[in-house]
C-alpha cells in the first residue's frame, strides 16, 4: 500500500508481455518480466530489457530495493538483461547483502554467466534451480522448479506456494511437454509463455494451439498469456485467449502493466491499477 493507491495483498504485475527477438528489439510490448508480491515476499521473474525502469515507473510504485527474490527461467536476453541491475537495487547498491537469486546453472556459471560474478557476491544467496527441488525464498514462500526444454539452454518454470494462499505457477519458454499438466495441477493460476498462434514443432516454444491442448488437461481457474511474439500480437491475443478458454479455465491475454490479484484472481488493466483505491475496479466485471 502506497499513498492514495493500493495493490492487493498478493498480486502479480506484468512488467511486460512481449517475448522473443523482434518484439523485444522493437519493444512492441514491454519485456520486464513479472513482479510478484506473495505472502509478504516481493520478487521478480525474468527481468528482461526495461525491467528496472518499469518497476521504478510503475504507478503505484514498485520499489526494487524491496525485492527479496530474483528468479530466472533461463538465460536468453529477453528474460535476463536486467538481472544484475535488479540485484544491485535489491542490495541497496551493494551495501545490504540480502535477497536470493534463483536461476539455472548455465545462467549462474559456465564460461558465460549472465549473473555477473561480482554481483553474485553482493546478494544474500544464489540458488541453482533443480527439477522438483523446492527452494525456500523466505517468508514461508517456496518455488519449485519444473523442467522445460528450450533451445539448448537450461530452462525451468516455477510453482509458488505458501501455506494458506493459492498456489500459482509460471510456465516459461518450452516445447509442449507431457509432465506440465501433472506438475502444475495444484495451481489456481498459471502464466503461459505463448509465443505464436499456431504450432511450430521445430521450435521449442508453445503456440496458442499447444497452450489450448495443455489447458484441456491442466485446469487452473485462470491462465494468463504472456511472452508474445510479433505474429501473436498482430493476430490478436484476446481472440486466442477466448478460443483456448475451457469450461474450467478462463484465459486472459496479458497486457503490459496488468495487475492480477492472487487471492481473487481478478485482473486489472494498467489504467485501473493506477487509479485511486476507491475506483480500483476489475477489468472483467
Ligand atoms: Zn523468451
Ligand atoms: Zn528463450
Amino acid at each position: 500500500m502506497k499513498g492514495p493507491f493500493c495493490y492487493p495483498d498478493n498480486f502479480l504485475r506484468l512488467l511486460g508481455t512481449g517475448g522473443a527477438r523482434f518484439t523485444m528489439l522493437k519493444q512492441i510490448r514491454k519485456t520486464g518480466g513479472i513482479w510478484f508480491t506473495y505472502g509478504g515476499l516481493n520478487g521478480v521473474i525474468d527481468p528482461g530489457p526495461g525491467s528496472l525502469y518499469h518497476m521504478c515507473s510503475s504507478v503505484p510504485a514498485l520499489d526494487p530495493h524491496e525485492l527479496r527474490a530474483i528468479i530466472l527461467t533461463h538465460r536468453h536476453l529477453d528474460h535476463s538483461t536486467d538481472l544484475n541491475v535488479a540485484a544491485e537495487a535489491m542490495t541497496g547498491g551493494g551495501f545490504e547483502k540480502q535477497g536470493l537469486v534463483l536461476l539455472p546453472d548455465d545462467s549462474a556459471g559456465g564460461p558465460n554467466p549472465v549473473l555477473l560474478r561480482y554481483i553474485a557476491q553482493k546478494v544474500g544467496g544464489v540458488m541453482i534451480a533443480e527439477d522438483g527441488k523446492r527452494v525456500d525464498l523466505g517468508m514461508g514462500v517456496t518455488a519449485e522448479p519444473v523442467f522445460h526444454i528450450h533451445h539448448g539452454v537450461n530452462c525451468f518454470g516455477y510453482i509458488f506456494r505458501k501455506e494458506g494462499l493459492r498456489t500459482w505457477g509460471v510456465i516459461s519458454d518450452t516445447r509442449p511437454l507431457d509432465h506440465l499438466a501433472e506438475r502444475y495441477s495444484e495451481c489456481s493460476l498459471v502464466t503461459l509463455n505463448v509465443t505464436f498462434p499456431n504450432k511450430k514443432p521445430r521450435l521449442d516454444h508453445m503456440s496458442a494451439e499447444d497452450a489450448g491442448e495443455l489447458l484441456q488437461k491442466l485446469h487452473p481457474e485462470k491462465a494468463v498469456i504472456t511472452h508474445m511474439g510479433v505474429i501473436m500480437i498482430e493476430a490478436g491475443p484476446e481472440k486466442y485467449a477466448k478460443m483456448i478458454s475451457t469450461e474450467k479455465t478462463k484465459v486472459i491475454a496479458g497486457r503490459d502493466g496488468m495487475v492480477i490479484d492472487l487471492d481473487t484472481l481478478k485482473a486489472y488493466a494498467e489504467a485501473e491499477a493506477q487509479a485511486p483505491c476507491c475506483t480500483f475496479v476489475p477489468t472483467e466485471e
Side-chain angles (χ1 to χ4, degrees):
M1 306 261 177
K2 292 187 181 77
F5 307 109
C6 60
Y7 282 111
D9 290 341
N10 301 292
F11 68 95
L12 306 180
R13 184 154 202 174
L14 306 180
L15 301 175
T17 54
R21 213 160 298 175
F22 297 105
T23 303
M24 169 183 70
L25 294 177
K26 294 187 174 176
Q27 289 291 295
I28 295 168
R29 291 272 184 114
K30 296 172 184 172
T31 49
I34 301 172
W35 174 286
F36 65 86
T37 293
Y38 178 63
L41 180 81
N42 299 314
V44 66
I45 302 159
D46 284 353
S51 189
L52 184 67
Y53 174 76
H54 299 312
M55 288 176 213
C56 295
S57 61
S58 275
V59 181
L62 297 168
D63 182 356
H65 191 191
E66 299 293 318
L67 287 170
R68 292 298 176 271
I70 303 175
I71 298 169
L72 229 58
T73 66
H74 66 293
R75 56 178 289 129
H76 285 158
L77 290 173
D78 50 334
H79 301 255
S80 70
T81 57
D82 275 15
L83 166 64
N84 293 290
V85 286
E88 181 83 354
M90 178 168 78
T91 59
F95 293 106
E96 298 157 63
K97 198 170 170 65
Q98 63 186 9
L100 274 185
V101 178
L102 170 61
L103 72 184
D105 58 356
D106 65 346
S107 298
N112 208 1
V114 291
L115 177 63
L116 297 173
R117 291 200 176 89
Y118 84 96
I119 295 285
Q121 288 168 1
K122 292 181 180 184
V123 300
V126 176
M127 301 294 292
I128 304 299
E130 289 176 55
D131 186 35
K133 194 172 162 197
R134 289 188 197 187
V135 175
D136 184 359
L137 300 177
M139 310 288 289
V141 177
T142 61
E144 177 190 335
V146 180
F147 175 69
H148 285 10
I149 293 179
H150 181 55
H151 291 306
V153 298
N154 292 337
C155 182
F156 295 92
Y158 294 95
I159 299 166
F160 297 87
R161 295 178 177 90
K162 177 168 176 165
E163 214 182 307
L165 296 182
R166 285 180 186 268
T167 298
W168 58 281
V170 166
I171 299 178
S172 184
D173 293 2
T174 184
R175 66 167 41 253
L177 296 169
D178 287 340
H179 66 261
L180 298 178
E182 189 195 326
R183 293 286 295 278
Y184 286 89
S185 61
E186 273 176 54
C187 295
S188 299
L189 172 138
V190 293
T191 66
L192 282 168
N193 286 15
V194 173
T195 309
F196 33 70
N198 303 116
K199 280 178 180 292
K200 291 187 185 176
R202 67 185 175 82
L203 297 181
D204 289 344
H205 278 289
M206 272 211 266
S207 63
E209 268 184 274
D210 297 312
E213 287 173 10
L214 173 61
L215 293 173
Q216 295 293 331
K217 292 177 256 168
L218 173 70
H219 304 291
E221 280 178 52
K222 189 159 269 184
V224 183
I225 293 174
T226 185
H227 191 277
M228 291 174 265
V230 177
I231 295 170
M232 185 68 192
I233 294 163
E234 286 175 354
E238 282 75 15
K239 183 178 79 185
Y240 283 94
K242 202 171 271 181
M243 226 176 330
I244 65 173
S245 288
T246 69
E247 253 173 53
K248 293 179 181 162
T249 302
K250 166 124 195 211
V251 183
I252 57 170
R255 285 267 166 193
D256 292 349
M258 184 179 261
V259 172
I260 298 140
D261 187 322
L262 286 173
D263 297 312
T264 63
L265 304 184
K266 285 176 179 164
Y268 300 83
E270 179 166 41
E272 292 164 337
Q274 292 176 357
C277 279
C278 53
T279 58
F280 205 59
V281 189
T283 191
E284 293 150 273
E285 265 102 340

